[in-house]
Amino acid sequence: MSKIYLLGIDVGFRNAGLSLFSKKVGKKKLKFIDGTVVNTIKNKKAISVASDDIKSVQKINDDMIGFFQKHNLDYSRKVFAICEFPFGGAMGARANRTMGIATAQVTSLLQFYNFIPLIVTPKEVKIAMVGIKKAKGKKVSKLMVINSLYKILKPEAIKRMKKKIKKKDFEHFADSVGAVRFVCNNHLIDKVCCDELGTKKYDRIVKSYY
């Protein structure tokens, strides 16, 4: 039975959440390995907006590559990157610009590493974390999503992540976990991931389940 790696990414320009799991194809059990949040800070002394953007992208790449290297994620591993993207784009001109940069950054990095991208929406992440009834009802708070981690990860894993990730950034880690949980809950990962399941087509847009 083949072993695969699931890399959850809450895509962002200033804050990007990462979580890493391993899984055997066809098995439900997920093993949590590690997580982190990548941060960039706007440089007010930058010569131009473009120069600040370049430095921010370099920082994101350096930190993500560091995370990949720490866990020996490379061409020899079968890695699926489940990315949370807002399908309709971000709200506002500035947010759309930075989300566009973040999208290009993460897409090019995944292609370089030959990781297989899957896409989920923020709403699908909320469904995975709090359930379809709550996600369809009132506004889902950040705290609700974070508290849902206790249903997915072991208490010691959450404790370890809370020591490592700042409180204000923890929601980005939680969203990355939710992205992984969504594709596993709906067996999407088993439908697309390996030759053992009779398909060689890895590229796929995740269907909506709401």
Side-chain angles (χ1 to χ4, degrees):
M1 197 65 73
S2 294
K3 185 178 183 180
I4 60 173
Y5 292 86
L6 305 178
L7 176 67
I9 305 177
D10 174 30
V11 179
F13 186 64
R14 293 300 176 197
N15 304 286
L18 300 174
S19 60
L20 181 64
F21 295 81
S22 64
K23 180 182 183 294
K24 287 186 177 180
V25 177
K27 299 291 184 180
K28 290 183 178 180
K29 189 176 180 181
L30 277 174
K31 181 182 177 182
F32 175 68
I33 299 172
D34 197 8
T36 191
V37 174
V38 174
N39 303 110
T40 63
I41 300 172
K42 186 173 181 179
N43 182 7
K44 295 179 180 179
K45 295 182 180 180
I47 298 170
S48 65
V49 172
S51 64
D52 179 54
D53 290 344
I54 290 168
K55 287 185 177 180
S56 294
V57 169
Q58 288 173 333
K59 172 72 163 54
I60 297 169
N61 279 335
D62 287 345
D63 288 357
M64 284 191 174
I65 290 169
F67 185 79
F68 299 164
Q69 290 176 341
K70 177 183 177 182
H71 298 290
N72 299 314
L73 300 180
D74 56 28
Y75 303 98
S76 66
R77 305 287 182 103
K78 193 161 285 186
V79 181
F80 289 80
I82 301 95
C83 306
E84 183 200 22
F85 285 109
F87 273 12
M91 298 296 288
R94 181 179 294 178
N96 259 317
R97 185 185 69 82
T98 55
M99 180 53 72
I101 295 171
T103 301
Q105 175 272 321
V106 75
T107 302
S108 58
L109 189 62
L110 296 179
Q111 185 177 19
F112 179 81
Y113 272 87
N114 202 29
F115 294 169
I116 302 154
L118 296 173
I119 302 170
V120 298
T121 67
K123 190 162 188 178
E124 287 168 335
V125 168
K126 289 179 174 65
I127 288 171
M129 296 299 276
V130 303
I132 194 164
K133 288 184 178 179
K134 288 182 180 179
K136 276 188 171 182
K138 296 178 181 178
K139 186 178 179 181
V140 178
S141 68
K142 295 173 184 177
L143 187 60
M144 286 172 67
V145 173
I146 291 170
N147 286 341
S148 297
L149 285 173
Y150 287 93
K151 299 177 184 178
I152 307 165
L153 305 180
K154 292 180 180 179
E156 55 266 31
I158 296 175
K159 187 176 180 180
R160 175 162 56 95
M161 289 298 100
K162 283 189 172 181
K163 285 183 178 180
K164 182 179 181 181
I165 300 168
K166 294 178 182 178
K167 187 177 180 180
K168 67 181 181 66
D169 296 331
F170 209 74
E171 62 175 291
H172 302 291
F173 165 69
D175 283 346
S176 73
V177 173
V180 172
R181 193 182 193 201
F182 181 80
V183 296
C184 291
N185 280 0
N186 292 292
H187 306 291
L188 294 173
I189 203 68
D190 286 337
K191 291 176 183 176
V192 300
C193 68
C194 282
D195 293 345
E196 286 85 349
L197 297 178
T199 179
K200 292 183 179 181
K201 186 178 180 182
Y202 298 129
D203 212 26
R204 171 192 173 117
I205 298 295
V206 175
K207 291 180 180 178
S208 296
Y209 277 76
Y210 53 87

